[in-house]
Amino acid sequence: MSTQLNSKIPAGPLGDKWASYKEDVKLVNPNNKRKFKVIVVGTGLAGASAAATLAELGYQVDAFTFHDSPRRAHSIAAQGGINAAKNYQGDGDSVHRLFYDTIKGGDFRSREANVHRLAEVSVNIIDQMVAQGVPFAREYGGLLDNRSFGGAQVSRTFYARGQTGQQLLLGAYQQLARQIGLGGVRLFNRTELVDVVTVEGRAAGIVVRDLMTGEVTSHAAHAVVLATGGYGNAFFLSTNAMACNVTAAWRAHRKGAYFANPCYTQIHPTCIPQSDEFQSKLTLMSESLRNDGRVWVPKNPDESRRVVDIPEEDRDYYLERLYPSFGNLAPRDISSRAAKRLVDKGQGVGPLKNGVYLDFADAIARLGKDVVEERYGNLFEMYERIAGENPYDMPMRIYPASHYTMGGLWVDYELMTSIPGLYAAGEANFSDHGANRLGASALMQGLSDGYFVLPYTIGNYLAPMLNKAIPSVDHPEFKAAELAARERFNGYLNIGGTRSPDWFHREVGKIIWDYCGMERTEQGLEKALSELPALYDEFKKDLRVTGSGESLNQTLEKAGRVDDFFQLGMLMCRDALERQESCGGHFRSEYQTEEGEALRDDDKFCHVAAWEWSGDPMTAKRNVEELEFENVHLATRSYK
Amino acid sequence: MSNHLKDIILKIWRQNGPQDSGRFETYKVDEISDEASFLEMLDYLNEQLITEGKEAIVFDHDCREGICGTCSLMINGQAHGPERSTATCQLHMRKFSSGAEIVIEPWRAAAFPIIKDLMVDRSAFDRIIESGGFITSVTGGAPDANLIPIPKPVADSAMDSAACIGCGACVAACPNGAANLFTSAKIAHLNSLPQGQAERYKRAESMIEKMDEFFGSCTNHGECESACPKEISIDVIALANADYRKAKLKNKKFISRI
Ligand SMILES: Cc1cc2nc3c(=O)[nH]c(=O)nc-3n(C[C@H](O)[C@H](O)[C@H](O)COP(=O)(O)OP(=O)(O)OC[C@H]3O[C@@H](n4cnc5c(N)ncnc54)[C@H](O)[C@@H]3O)c2cc1C
Ligand code: FES
């Protein structure tokens, strides 16, 4: 029997739920807040904003990051922008419209109440970030400028050149730095969470490894927040930063936190195609480029003319042809699959025939080179640096790549995981994007969770714990977890095999990409589920980690992360196999419409799959949370 | 199509921890595609070292897109290597030729102690930001974002300064190991915006004094500007110094109104 999950959604009309939750929530008196310690792991947008805000409120906060500084978190790399229902352009935007676009974009696989709250607080985020000095783009009159993004017909995306994530993260980091300076937050940098500790079913703290000395220690707290990002690097090649990993979420999962919808991963349509076998990561070209760039391939797979000599009639602007009302701004999953089909048919472009064109010639003719440069200059430069071609003269070549993970730790309306006192925020949770995330919505969700949701919901959990003792780091559960962590890391060092962690990462990533990537089949997933455990056995026997565990050792760090990717990979494939429908980023070839679009099965799969650890990912138990739609009609997603 | 470079000789600084005295070691990469990035070449070398049972070379990196500021490296004596306005992670092997000899060292600056091999500790930068590199604005209390119009040129120039990635190349390139470009970029960003006015002089004062605790002093060499992967202009130093001088004036009540 599967357990029914309680998402604790407040009663009442959709638009009033969050307001009434806030009115009813238990409060901790300002003088008592300092009696509570909260651990925040991760200092990206979600973690930094949560840690800073909790400290402002008066809680004692310990923040952890494996980076040398909070400013390095992967959030820094977000380029395109952040959505908010401000309706500054007067083009008909509203909280309801942002809510609806997000639900529809997620292919009706997210929770109405969470998404509505996200749309409501989106407007506060922009106010907050502007007050902190984030230099968003402005119009000549001095007001904020907006652009549009995939999956929306209004301009609601705020941006700071092509560096929106950088500017937002620096804003949140600076607010966090202020609290560190004031003593409200203690920061532990270059420190990696290696286990979560529970005592009597509640989160009691964490075990960490100091990356500089290898020392393993414990930290106890009243509540623990994981804001540790997504797991897109399971594919090895992705647009994520090199160090992004699933360890924190996975270790929490192994301690009882349910892992929701691991197969919902997003493949981003506009990345620079792979160029050679040494490639260590893929680079994203912001989706905002699709505002002005036109996507096409030559109609003839054997086209041999220079690209600029190919006449209009021999080009297939396939997104404009297939999806006339959204055109080049069709959502990510749809655009990605369209590109894959053409490349699979041999119509790909570039030396390896592994890309499609994104062409700015029309935009340059229409707007002038200066305007195009103003909008996208730094992206064009980045492209030229990597690909060695100038996009003002030659169309860019793009291809889809792993980019974002909608799946993550299962959380209820309060962002609490299935372990009381353990919260998950930002990309690490599964909460708001259903089966597909719309562009410019991850930054919004991370900041919403950290600034405007957690600071309320944590109080509700802490209030009844006032003046009650919590387990200290001497508790046997902490000692046992420390011992297990030390043994695990010594274990990697002692295998003495022949292959590096990177070698295994590449191999495991390839299996996951081939069978659990853009298109999945029952047969392929079963193959993956027989290959992954076999390769994992080899990992345990043939891994080679050089150096020692007593000083900084990046090979050893990597070994721990790859171990967790193996286990997660198996769960991703099992989740993809069990979900016998197509929705959003999860595309099962067996379930598609005649036109090749995702075919949902709302009778059987209108639910969240929340996996419960059983000692082995191959036997994890699948629990479900039914999704109830009271305010939107379950429609077939159409962007035609 | 990609070409392959052959016989690259690398002289790399190895130092087994902060206390070790360190030395150069020479390695050879027999063949590498010119499409590979500089760091991918180091990945490849590390794979080779692990295969030989040797310890991999430690270096900092993360985004590999030139935005997180984690990567560093003095390459043939230049911070982030030979290509202008390019961080190490964005440098490609097509900038080198077969048989090249490349010397790779960590950032060298008193305020950035070496942790291991090519990795240094840049947390002094965080201390500077903690001392005043922010606008105090408690979550939840902000007015509507469009309440204060900001002229586009002001927003644009704030953005130019805010583009700093905190990599530390400016310090590594400076003969005095000064951090004026880094510190001033943040001061210029926040002090030029209307939201930043309330703390303007206090910010300049505390950040510059915190900086002086760790870093050498600026004597206007300008090496920082040419090493900066984001081309932050040295003009920000003049702006920050002007605010610092005003902060030091006795009549603070008066200057708070100009
Ligand atoms: C190239 C790129 C471009 C993007 N562009 C956009 C965009 O334009 N708009 C948009 O909305 N979204 C965009 N996204 C998505 C968005 O950037 C991310 O989803 C979001 O920033 C994630 O924020 P986060 O705070 O959840 O996690 P992160 O920023 O990834 O932070 C994770 C933090 O956790 C820490 N951490 C992780 N594991 C551990 C551990 N075990 N121990 C200690 N610390 C740990 C890390 O050190 C880090 O501080 C983009 C993503 C990519 C890859
Ligand atoms: S690795 Fe991020 S800037 Fe170079």
Side-chain angles (χ1 to χ4, degrees):
Chain A
M1 255 313 283
S2 80
T3 320
Q4 266 294 340
L5 293 160
N6 180 4
S7 49
K8 296 198 281 198
I9 294 171
L14 184 63
D16 299 343
K17 284 180 194 290
W18 181 232
S20 62
Y21 175 89
K22 286 194 288 183
E23 277 162 18
D24 296 343
V25 76
K26 292 191 208 89
L27 296 176
V28 179
N29 142 344
N31 291 325
N32 283 332
K33 289 206 175 81
R34 70 185 128 83
K35 297 184 184 157
F36 291 105
K37 163 150 298 174
V38 180
I39 284 176
V40 178
V41 188
T43 50
L45 279 181
S49 57
T53 306
L54 291 167
E56 283 171 5
L57 289 169
Y59 295 108
Q60 291 177 53
V61 178
D62 281 355
F64 294 82
T65 168
F66 61 64
H67 285 103
D68 66 328
S69 162
R71 66 181 296 147
R72 313 279 185 220
H74 172 58
S75 296
I76 200 109
Q79 302 171 352
I82 176 165
N83 288 330
K86 281 284 198 187
N87 195 28
Y88 282 162
Q89 305 304 321
D91 58 358
D93 199 12
S94 64
V95 165
H96 182 79
R97 214 178 264 280
L98 175 54
F99 156 76
Y100 184 76
D101 285 350
T102 308
I103 289 273
K104 176 184 170 194
D107 216 354
F108 304 93
R109 288 292 174 265
S110 42
R111 262 187 218 143
E112 280 189 340
N114 283 57
V115 176
H116 202 272
R117 174 177 66 192
L118 176 66
E120 286 170 49
V121 305
S122 69
V123 297
N124 306 111
I125 295 172
I126 301 304
D127 299 342
Q128 176 67 21
M129 298 322 283
V130 166
Q132 274 168 24
V134 169
F136 283 120
R138 295 197 173 247
E139 311 267 14
Y140 279 96
L143 300 182
L144 290 156
D145 190 19
N146 290 113
R147 50 167 62 141
S148 52
F149 245 60
Q153 286 171 313
V154 293
S155 280
R156 62 160 75 98
T157 305
F158 295 78
Y159 65 101
R161 297 210 181 126
Q163 291 141 261
T164 317
Q166 179 198 28
Q167 293 310 314
L168 293 173
L169 182 65
L170 292 181
Y173 155 67
Q174 286 162 202
Q175 196 181 357
L176 174 64
R178 174 170 174 263
Q179 287 302 323
I180 296 170
L182 292 171
V185 176
R186 286 197 301 169
L187 177 74
F188 297 80
N189 66 339
R190 295 202 196 264
T191 304
E192 180 155 83
L193 177 150
V194 291
D195 210 349
V196 169
V197 177
T198 60
V199 174
E200 288 161 11
R202 282 175 174 245
I206 61 174
V207 175
V208 298
R209 189 167 168 274
D210 180 332
L211 299 182
M212 299 208 277
T213 61
E215 198 191 350
V216 170
T217 55
S218 293
H219 295 260
H222 292 83
V224 176
V225 178
L226 301 183
T228 46
Y231 53 86
N233 272 349
F235 294 101
F236 185 74
L237 281 182
S238 91
T239 63
N240 286 17
M242 300 295 287
C244 290
N245 67 78
V246 75
T247 291
W250 192 257
R251 294 286 142 186
H253 172 57
R254 292 177 54 120
K255 285 296 173 75
Y258 293 174
F259 206 108
N261 302 332
C263 80
Y264 288 169
T265 55
Q266 180 167 79
I267 310 297
H268 194 290
T270 54
C271 304
I272 304 178
Q274 185 172 357
S275 63
D276 66 45
E277 75 276 23
F278 301 103
Q279 192 110 14
S280 57
K281 70 159 290 190
L282 296 169
T283 301
L284 174 94
M285 289 282 102
S286 168
E287 172 170 18
S288 62
L289 291 166
R290 292 200 277 144
N291 267 303
D292 290 305
R294 299 179 69 196
V295 178
W296 64 277
V297 291
K299 285 185 181 159
N300 177 3
D302 302 317
E303 181 59 69
S304 59
R305 287 169 288 190
R306 290 188 325 147
V307 40
V308 286
D309 296 336
I310 304 174
E312 283 295 299
E313 65 272 18
D314 292 338
R315 302 175 172 198
D316 181 6
Y317 293 94
Y318 58 90
L319 288 177
E320 296 170 24
R321 173 171 59 81
L322 294 166
Y323 309 101
S325 66
F326 281 70
N328 294 298
L329 287 173
R332 294 180 170 173
D333 51 338
I334 290 181
S335 314
S336 295
R337 276 196 299 279
K340 176 179 179 349
R341 291 200 180 118
L342 289 162
V343 168
D344 288 351
K345 277 203 316 208
Q347 279 172 271
V349 301
L352 304 175
K353 287 183 83 76
N354 61 350
V356 298
Y357 288 128
L358 179 63
D359 197 336
F360 290 87
D362 286 354
I364 293 171
R366 178 165 44 90
L367 303 164
K369 194 178 157 194
D370 289 351
V371 175
V372 172
E373 186 173 348
E374 156 113 25
R375 287 189 190 161
Y376 310 111
N378 61 334
L379 297 171
F380 279 33
E381 258 172 50
M382 176 149 93
Y383 180 85
E384 183 169 4
R385 212 168 277 142
I386 294 170
E389 288 168 0
N390 176 355
Y392 292 103
D393 304 333
M394 282 275 287
M396 287 183 177
R397 286 177 290 112
I398 55 165
Y399 195 64
S402 152
H403 173 62
Y404 181 85
T405 52
M406 284 74 70
L409 289 175
W410 183 87
V411 288
D412 62 19
Y413 188 72
E414 299 186 299
L415 304 184
M416 199 196 283
T417 67
S418 51
I419 300 176
L422 181 71
Y423 294 79
E427 195 174 338
N429 73 27
F430 89 110
S431 69
D432 296 354
H433 307 293
N436 174 53
R437 174 179 70 80
L438 290 183
S441 288
L443 301 178
M444 170 172 74
Q445 182 228 330
L447 290 173
S448 157
D449 289 357
Y451 274 136
F452 297 108
V453 180
L454 272 175
Y456 286 95
T457 61
I458 278 196
N460 201 33
Y461 172 76
L462 294 176
M465 291 167 80
L466 186 65
N467 297 329
K468 290 193 189 138
I470 53 164
S472 81
V473 295
D474 298 324
H475 191 282
E477 288 292 341
F478 277 106
K479 293 296 147 204
E482 281 176 25
L483 185 69
R486 281 188 204 105
E487 281 177 352
R488 182 155 68 89
F489 283 93
N490 286 335
Y492 301 133
L493 284 161
N494 292 336
I495 295 171
T498 64
R499 306 273 192 194
S500 71
D502 250 347
W503 186 87
F504 281 105
H505 192 187
R506 235 176 241 277
E507 294 297 308
V508 71
K510 194 169 167 345
I511 299 176
I512 305 175
W513 177 251
D514 284 348
Y515 301 116
C516 199
M518 251 186 290
E519 216 163 322
R520 300 142 181 200
T521 63
E522 180 176 344
Q523 209 190 0
L525 289 163
E526 272 168 356
K527 191 147 186 270
L529 284 167
S530 77
E531 287 179 10
L532 285 171
L535 188 66
Y536 189 36
D537 281 343
E538 215 181 306
F539 172 83
K540 289 189 250 180
K541 281 190 236 128
D542 196 28
L543 178 70
R544 173 183 286 181
V545 177
T546 51
S548 85
E550 276 89 54
S551 78
L552 196 132
N553 186 339
Q554 292 170 318
T555 317
L556 183 59
E557 290 164 26
K558 185 81 200 252
R561 296 170 188 170
V562 175
D563 189 344
D564 294 338
F565 279 136
F566 263 109
Q567 304 175 43
L568 168 77
M570 294 179 224
L571 197 65
M572 285 167 72
C573 292
R574 285 200 57 211
D575 189 44
L577 185 63
E578 295 283 325
R579 189 168 280 279
Q580 292 161 12
E581 65 163 351
S582 295
C583 55
H586 169 64
F587 191 82
R588 284 277 302 264
S589 305
E590 303 95 324
Y591 308 100
Q592 52 180 305
T593 64
E594 274 172 17
E595 291 151 323
E597 305 296 352
L599 185 62
R600 292 197 321 261
D601 183 344
D602 292 333
D603 291 337
K604 291 207 198 96
F605 291 98
C606 192
H607 61 232
V608 176
W611 294 85
E612 183 178 344
W613 177 249
S614 66
D616 177 352
M618 296 297 286
T619 60
K621 182 175 154 204
R622 187 177 191 271
N623 299 309
V624 300
E625 176 200 335
E626 294 298 339
L627 291 170
E628 278 153 34
F629 290 89
E630 291 166 356
N631 299 275
V632 301
H633 167 66
L634 284 181
T636 300
R637 223 161 49 123
S638 167
Y639 290 93
K640 289 199 180 277
Chain B
M1 285 307 289
S2 76
N3 293 312
H4 281 245
L5 304 182
K6 293 213 165 67
D7 303 325
I8 309 276
I9 306 292
L10 302 170
K11 295 206 161 135
I12 300 182
W13 185 258
R14 302 295 311 254
Q15 180 173 333
N16 197 22
Q19 310 310 332
D20 185 24
S21 52
R23 75 239 148 249
F24 279 107
E25 284 188 16
T26 305
Y27 302 91
K28 188 164 159 225
V29 171
D30 294 333
E31 193 173 350
I32 188 100
S33 155
D34 68 352
E35 296 272 350
S37 73
F38 194 81
L39 295 183
E40 281 163 358
M41 186 237 344
L42 290 183
D43 293 341
Y44 177 74
L45 173 63
N46 272 342
E47 283 296 290
Q48 212 173 291
L49 292 177
I50 295 172
T51 310
E52 292 164 14
K54 296 183 183 143
E55 191 167 354
I57 299 155
V58 171
F59 61 94
D60 251 332
H61 65 99
D62 197 20
C63 74
R64 299 204 174 185
E65 293 189 4
I67 192 74
C68 72
T70 313
C71 64
S72 52
L73 304 186
M74 292 302 276
I75 301 170
N76 289 335
Q78 278 179 293
H80 289 305
E83 200 177 353
R84 251 192 98 80
S85 69
T86 302
T88 294
C89 61
Q90 296 261 279
L91 182 63
H92 278 72
M93 291 311 292
R94 56 178 100 87
K95 295 284 162 189
F96 297 89
S97 39
S98 289
E101 195 179 291
I102 309 175
V103 181
I104 309 176
E105 291 171 85
W107 285 167
R108 305 254 187 216
F112 291 163
I114 293 177
I115 295 173
K116 191 167 176 174
D117 296 343
L118 302 171
M119 182 187 276
V120 299
D121 179 358
R122 286 169 285 194
S123 37
F125 272 5
D126 291 314
R127 303 292 93 78
I128 295 175
I129 300 296
E130 286 156 17
S131 74
F134 47 76
I135 291 174
T136 299
S137 118
V138 169
T139 304
D144 185 86
N146 255 350
L147 211 59
I148 316 167
I150 301 178
K152 186 166 163 23
V154 173
D156 284 349
S157 89
M159 179 66 218
D160 290 340
S161 316
C164 167
I165 59 174
C167 62
C170 46
V171 176
C174 175
N176 308 330
N180 287 59
L181 193 66
F182 168 80
T183 311
S184 306
K186 188 44 66 188
I187 295 175
H189 159 210
L190 299 175
N191 284 11
S192 65
L193 291 170
Q195 306 93 301
Q197 295 311 306
E199 292 161 298
R200 177 169 179 175
Y201 299 104
K202 182 164 173 279
R203 174 179 303 118
E205 187 176 9
S206 8
M207 288 180 73
I208 289 186
E209 284 169 9
K210 183 55 79 178
M211 170 185 88
D212 287 342
E213 284 176 28
F214 294 95
F215 294 91
S217 37
C218 169
T219 46
N220 286 316
H221 280 268
E223 297 290 340
C224 51
E225 186 186 61
S226 22
C228 177
K230 296 294 146 185
E231 301 184 296
I232 308 271
S233 157
I234 201 166
D235 293 350
V236 295
I237 299 182
L239 287 171
N241 284 341
D243 278 359
Y244 180 72
R245 276 195 303 275
K246 283 191 194 158
K248 286 297 175 194
L249 285 177
K250 288 225 176 72
N251 194 350
K252 289 194 185 160
K253 269 202 194 119
F254 170 70
I255 57 155
S256 68
R257 275 185 276 118
I258 52 174

